[in-house]
Amino acid sequence: MDEILTFEEIKNNLEIRTYFEFMDKTFALMGYKEHGRGHALYAAEIAERILKYLGYSKREQELAKIASYIHDMGNLVSKYGHDQSSSIMFLNVIGDNRYNEDIFAIASAVGCHEDKTVDPVSAIAAALVLGDKTDVRRERIRAEDLYYVYKHSRIIAACQKVDVVINKEEMTIGLRIKIDATICSVMDYFEIFMSRTNFCRRASSVLNCNFELYINEDKFL
């Protein structure tokens, strides 16, 4: 019988922890927002919660949680193409003696999480996209002065509060953000994040849901 892969096994894996540590050190030197275990754990929690509230099985929740946790570790190699790098690194960590349907479901979800030209390939992949792309928490900013260096960082810095709300009755997944307009405007947010917002809409549709976006209590989607 195949040994069942669990989130706890992946979270406690020393090799994966080491990848996160060195990758995020590199991102810190670049001044780029946090991409270590903090983001990984947040994305995993959101992905699991989405599938749980929508009634997916516990195993699908677990697989989405694992995929969301390891989705960015390929940044150790390069930010470009890190979705495919992450998938391959995951397969190498697991080893081919444990390959099965669950392992391939995780690998395929991770490998397409940056491809905004197509719909996510599964509910697991869709939950990963939503867990990743809704993480606009201010805590990911490295330093206050970086607001003025990177547009992307300025948007994140402006987000004072972020909530992901799942409504099973209405089949909606909502991102509710409170923005400090003295740091950036709502238009700035849309200029930078329109592609990720559209990706969230596509991911939500895979889960038979509509994606909603609220900024400072105003509904934009």
Side-chain angles (χ1 to χ4, degrees):
M1 181 179 293
D2 293 331
E3 182 182 352
I4 295 177
L5 183 68
T6 67
F7 176 71
E8 286 303 311
E9 176 186 342
I10 291 298
K11 186 177 73 170
N12 295 322
N13 183 284
L14 181 59
E15 185 175 350
I16 294 175
R17 279 176 175 255
T18 303
Y19 290 157
F20 278 132
E21 178 184 350
F22 282 91
M23 174 265 289
D24 201 43
K25 282 182 180 179
T26 301
F27 270 47
L29 291 172
M30 295 166 56
Y32 202 66
K33 66 183 183 294
E34 183 267 327
H35 267 75
R37 292 187 79 233
H39 171 58
L41 289 167
Y42 180 90
E45 190 275 328
I46 294 297
E48 178 189 37
R49 188 203 310 171
I50 287 171
L51 294 192
K52 178 180 179 180
Y53 285 3
L54 292 178
Y56 286 82
S57 70
K58 288 188 176 181
R59 189 56 184 159
E60 287 172 300
Q61 296 170 36
E62 181 98 346
L63 296 179
K65 194 174 184 180
I66 294 170
S68 300
Y69 182 76
I70 56 100
H71 76 277
D72 269 348
M73 66 182 181
N75 280 309
L76 177 70
V77 178
S78 173
K79 184 176 184 296
Y80 299 98
H82 74 272
D83 42 357
Q84 286 85 17
S85 298
S86 297
S87 182
I88 293 168
M89 290 165 69
F90 165 71
L91 291 173
N92 286 337
V93 169
I94 295 304
D96 58 8
N97 62 311
R98 295 184 65 184
Y99 285 180
N100 58 29
E101 187 174 343
D102 286 353
I103 300 301
F104 295 140
I106 294 168
S108 64
V110 172
C112 72
H113 83 267
E114 288 292 345
D115 190 351
K116 299 179 179 65
T117 64
V118 297
D119 292 342
V121 297
S122 65
I124 294 165
L128 160 54
V129 167
L130 289 161
D132 177 29
K133 303 307 178 188
T134 59
D135 189 5
V136 291
R137 295 170 299 131
R138 194 178 200 274
E139 292 84 355
R140 298 181 68 192
I141 293 297
R142 304 286 185 180
E144 299 291 321
D145 58 357
L146 291 175
Y147 296 0
Y148 306 103
V149 179
Y150 300 106
K151 270 189 173 183
H152 196 282
S153 294
R154 188 165 67 249
I155 303 302
I156 299 289
C159 293
Q160 298 177 319
K161 186 177 181 181
V162 181
D163 288 318
V164 177
V165 180
I166 305 102
N167 187 321
K168 185 177 180 180
E169 291 183 0
E170 298 183 4
M171 295 301 287
T172 60
I173 299 171
L175 176 60
R176 295 177 175 267
I177 307 172
K178 182 179 180 182
I179 285 181
D180 182 347
T182 66
I183 297 177
C184 83
S185 68
V186 172
M187 289 307 297
D188 286 335
Y189 179 92
F190 275 104
E191 179 185 354
I192 302 300
F193 283 162
M194 181 54 72
S195 63
R196 78 164 49 197
T197 299
N198 286 332
F199 203 15
C200 286
R201 293 177 70 177
R202 298 183 80 146
S204 297
S205 70
V206 171
L207 301 174
N208 296 312
C209 291
N210 291 317
F211 182 72
E212 298 181 339
L213 174 65
Y214 292 83
I215 302 178
N216 294 349
E217 303 300 328
D218 294 321
K219 185 177 181 180
F220 288 85
L221 289 175

